Amino acid sequence: MDVMGDKATLFESGRFVQTYDAEPARDELADMGEAGEETRLALAAQSGDAEAASVLGAMLLRRGDLDGAEPHLRAATAAGDRAAANNLGVLLHQRGYPEEAAGWWRIAAVAGSAAAAHALGRHHRERGDEPAAEYWLRQSAEQGHVLGAYALADLLEHRGDVGAEHWMRAAAERGHREAAYRLARALDRAAGHGDETGGDSGAAEAEQWYRQAAARGHRRAALQLGAILEKRGELKEAGRWYLTSAKDGEPRAACALGFLLRDAGDSESAAVWWLRAAQDGDGNAANALGALHAERGEPQTAERWYRAALAAGDDNGAYNLGLLCAEQGRTAQAEQWYRRAAYAGHREAANALAILLLQNGDTSGAEPWFSKAAEAGSVDAAFNLGILYAGRGEDEMALRWYERAAAAGHAEAALQVGIARLREGDEQEAERHLRCAAGGGSAEGAYRLAALLDARRPPEPAHELGEIVQEKTECEEWYERAASQGHRRAQVRVGMLAAARGDVVEAARWYRAAAEAGSRNGAFNLGLLLAREGSEPEAAVWWARAADAGHGRAALRLALVYARRGELAEGQRWADRAVALGPAEVSERAGRLRDALREELSA
């Protein structure tokens, strides 16, 4: 069948249904729809429809077509359309006519436009007229305009008005992400300072608002949320929020993510994020990169990053440069960097500078820096001041600084306070400080605490060698802790306690550990144990080591061994040594043995 007419004309008439392949793309359809809507509105506006003119003007304004939008907005405004008046104000503001814009915003605001009231309030605030700004922003906020509520809260907070939180909360509850973030920060600060609104409930609410703001793409809120979760030990979720924030361009989040990855053992990935943060000006990340390269034995690269940290305003960069130079033996440069950081208020740099000066013999120069660091809160500097005063014989001043460092948890300072209290006879205070020292990892503290507790316990019944008793007292547990840290006297004491319990194997193990570390008492006691077990030749080896280190009883034992063997000259030599070493009881017995051996040799 022939079709009359041109095919293209028939298609255009719409009588033919187009196939799927011939359909336009979705965005093309949207453009066609918008163009059609714009045409419809234009026709309606031409016929005097004020609402159509207002909508068309707003559409063109959003598109950026100010010339096309203005006549339509003016026509709608003349017809009394308040939305058009507000949009006309926006258009004039964009054109650079703020006063004329404010006039139209005022007309719209008086007519009840919350958006215009917000814009007018912002206009007055920019010009410093805070009363007018507050009036119009309050009008906007009370009508439920979220931007008006936030702007009012910002104005009131700037003035320190207590009503700021109410409006910040109102804006946050309506989905304003910056308001949610700032509300969270305020709650955080209140919780941190122990205000009535603070405490656990305040911190929990702050976290909820951080989470809401972060979920809406607020990168600083995501950073804060990550920090809260990391502190709580929820590292996986913390890492997710740090990653979200870092991808949005927050360098501090990238730096924090780097530290999480490093702690998880992934230094390579950590370096990637630190590099990203450092390139964005984060000094902490630059320092971390410097430390990473220093650990890898790349001092030049480390120095470059430390300098970058310093350029970013991070005084740790100067301190780390000082440490790097000190490790390389560049003492003069180390002192310069320490001084730079110390003058900027870096307390650990001040302490390091004082140590460097002290090592160079400049005690008078070191003391002020120790004092400055200690007053700024450096625990190590307070302890070092104690050492400095103790070296001068100023025990009272030394104790004062030791007590200050001990109160901050310094184990060795607590040890010194404990020793001082023991000298004064205050066993209760001595025990308290010695427990702090021992708990903080001080081997000497653990040994002295054990000795204090040991002196108080009643004597225990003796046990036969080989008869193992499992029960251990608290003092033995502290001796063992000190012994496991390499404390030789503690090792000897643990051996003695084990021997008293009848545990020969345990006793030998600890005596041997002490002896091999250079303890003459350990060597002597090991010799006694071996001799009782029938290993006198090996016992003689350990007694010889003990006697060479100045142990008189060991020398006497050796003299007796050689005398029994008939090696009288060797026995006499060790008897002479025992007489010289003492103590008095040993010297007396060794003298009698020596005289007897001399008579026998001369017979």
Side-chain angles (χ1 to χ4, degrees):
M1 175 179 174
D2 293 332
V3 177
M4 295 179 62
D6 184 67
K7 188 175 183 179
T9 305
L10 291 171
F11 266 112
E12 288 167 5
S13 71
R15 295 179 184 175
F16 279 76
V17 179
Q18 297 183 30
T19 62
Y20 177 80
D21 292 337
E23 289 182 1
R26 183 177 300 175
D27 55 350
E28 292 173 351
L29 282 172
D31 291 341
M32 289 168 61
E34 187 174 334
E37 177 66 10
E38 186 177 331
T39 302
R40 186 189 68 76
L41 290 170
L43 291 172
Q46 287 174 6
S47 64
D49 188 332
E51 184 179 352
S54 177
V55 173
L56 178 59
M59 182 184 294
L60 295 170
L61 180 61
R62 281 195 302 271
R63 192 187 299 166
D65 184 0
L66 303 188
D67 292 333
E70 186 171 352
H72 295 295
L73 291 175
R74 285 190 181 275
T77 300
D81 190 295
R82 71 182 188 188
N86 175 56
N87 288 331
L88 182 57
V90 172
L91 183 147
L92 291 168
H93 189 270
Q94 290 182 15
R95 283 193 184 280
Y97 302 110
E99 296 305 325
E100 189 178 351
W104 290 111
W105 281 330
R106 182 181 297 275
I107 290 170
V110 170
S113 171
H118 164 249
L120 187 57
R122 291 285 303 275
H123 170 81
H124 284 299
R125 187 175 182 191
E126 287 171 4
R127 275 147 187 76
D129 188 352
E130 290 195 1
E134 182 182 350
Y135 174 81
W136 289 110
L137 291 175
R138 194 175 291 278
Q139 293 293 319
S140 176
E142 288 176 350
Q143 292 179 65
H145 193 275
V146 62
L147 295 178
Y150 173 71
L152 177 60
D154 184 64
L155 175 63
L156 295 174
E157 187 176 85
H158 173 71
R159 291 210 312 245
D161 194 306
V162 292
E165 185 181 338
H166 167 76
W167 290 110
M168 196 70 77
R169 187 180 293 275
E173 287 171 350
R174 294 182 183 120
H176 195 289
R177 68 181 189 182
E178 183 66 23
Y181 170 72
R182 288 178 62 173
L183 178 60
R185 293 292 288 167
L187 291 167
D188 230 353
R189 286 192 294 270
H193 289 95
D195 295 348
E196 291 180 3
T197 56
D200 293 339
S201 60
E205 188 183 0
E207 182 181 339
Q208 291 174 359
W209 288 114
Y210 279 136
R211 194 175 291 276
Q212 182 170 312
R216 288 188 168 93
H218 197 291
R219 69 185 194 185
R220 285 174 296 164
L223 168 65
Q224 292 296 330
L225 181 57
I228 290 169
L229 292 166
E230 182 182 2
K231 187 176 181 180
R232 206 158 61 211
E234 299 175 25
L235 303 184
K236 191 173 182 179
E237 189 180 358
R240 285 201 300 269
W241 285 112
Y242 282 148
L243 180 61
T244 299
S245 180
K247 285 182 175 179
D248 285 340
E250 178 55 61
R252 290 174 297 171
C255 180
L257 180 58
F259 281 112
L260 270 190
L261 290 165
R262 181 206 62 182
D263 293 344
D266 189 355
S267 296
E268 295 302 322
S269 297
V272 171
W273 287 104
W274 282 334
L275 178 61
R276 182 167 174 172
Q279 288 173 339
D280 286 338
D282 190 284
N284 195 22
N287 272 316
L289 277 174
L292 185 64
H293 286 289
E295 289 172 7
R296 293 174 176 173
E298 302 168 359
Q300 291 182 336
T301 307
E303 183 171 343
R304 180 167 64 85
W305 282 113
Y306 288 149
R307 288 180 181 274
L310 188 58
D314 192 322
D315 296 325
N316 280 315
Y319 174 58
N320 287 331
L321 280 167
L323 292 174
L324 189 67
C325 291
E327 288 173 4
Q328 295 172 340
R330 296 153 56 194
T331 308
Q333 293 95 323
E335 183 179 339
Q336 290 175 356
W337 288 118
Y338 286 149
R339 281 188 185 278
R340 179 166 178 174
Y343 278 122
H346 196 293
R347 66 190 187 191
E348 296 309 326
N351 181 55
L353 174 60
I355 292 172
L356 192 64
L357 293 171
L358 200 60
Q359 289 171 342
N360 293 334
D362 187 2
T363 307
S364 59
E367 185 179 346
W369 286 111
F370 276 138
S371 296
K372 185 174 182 179
E375 293 295 349
S378 171
V379 180
D380 288 335
F383 177 65
N384 290 334
L385 266 179
I387 295 174
L388 196 66
Y389 283 115
R392 293 176 184 169
E394 300 178 39
D395 293 338
E396 188 175 340
M397 283 295 294
L399 183 58
R400 184 183 305 173
W401 285 108
Y402 284 146
E403 285 177 332
R404 185 163 175 174
H410 197 289
E412 294 304 320
L415 169 64
Q416 294 303 319
V417 176
I419 292 171
R421 295 291 178 249
L422 275 178
R423 283 198 300 265
E424 295 168 2
D426 188 349
E427 282 197 8
Q428 187 175 356
E429 274 298 294
E431 181 182 342
R432 185 172 71 84
H433 282 95
L434 290 176
R435 284 188 182 278
C436 291
S442 169
E444 182 67 20
Y447 173 73
R448 286 181 179 266
L449 173 61
L452 180 63
L453 297 172
D454 202 2
R456 294 177 184 167
R457 67 184 183 133
E460 294 182 1
H463 301 280
E464 295 294 328
L465 284 176
E467 179 189 351
I468 299 176
V469 179
Q470 299 297 336
E471 293 181 6
K472 293 182 181 179
T473 61
E474 186 190 3
C475 75
E476 188 168 357
E477 290 173 356
W478 284 113
Y479 277 135
E480 286 187 359
R481 180 178 293 195
S484 64
Q485 292 176 265
H487 195 287
R488 293 183 301 180
R489 283 179 296 166
Q491 289 170 338
V492 173
R493 188 64 183 140
V494 171
M496 292 172 67
L497 290 169
R501 289 197 316 271
D503 191 344
V504 180
V505 175
E506 185 74 356
R509 181 172 75 86
W510 285 113
Y511 286 151
R512 191 177 297 276
E516 288 176 349
S519 168
R520 62 188 187 186
N521 285 330
F524 175 69
N525 287 358
L526 180 59
L528 288 178
L529 203 62
L530 291 167
R532 288 175 189 168
E533 294 293 299
S535 301
E536 191 175 82
E538 188 181 353
V541 172
W542 288 108
W543 283 333
R545 182 180 291 192
D548 287 337
H551 199 287
R553 285 189 173 83
L556 177 57
R557 289 277 177 172
L558 281 170
L560 291 168
V561 167
Y562 284 110
R564 284 197 300 270
R565 290 179 183 173
E567 299 178 30
L568 304 184
E570 189 67 11
Q572 185 180 345
R573 184 176 74 82
W574 282 112
D576 283 336
R577 179 74 171 148
V579 169
L581 291 174
E585 177 191 348
V586 170
S587 296
E588 183 182 349
R589 289 182 60 197
R592 290 198 300 270
L593 177 60
R594 178 190 60 189
D595 292 343
L597 291 173
R598 184 179 294 138
E599 287 177 11
E600 193 167 340
L601 281 168
S602 62

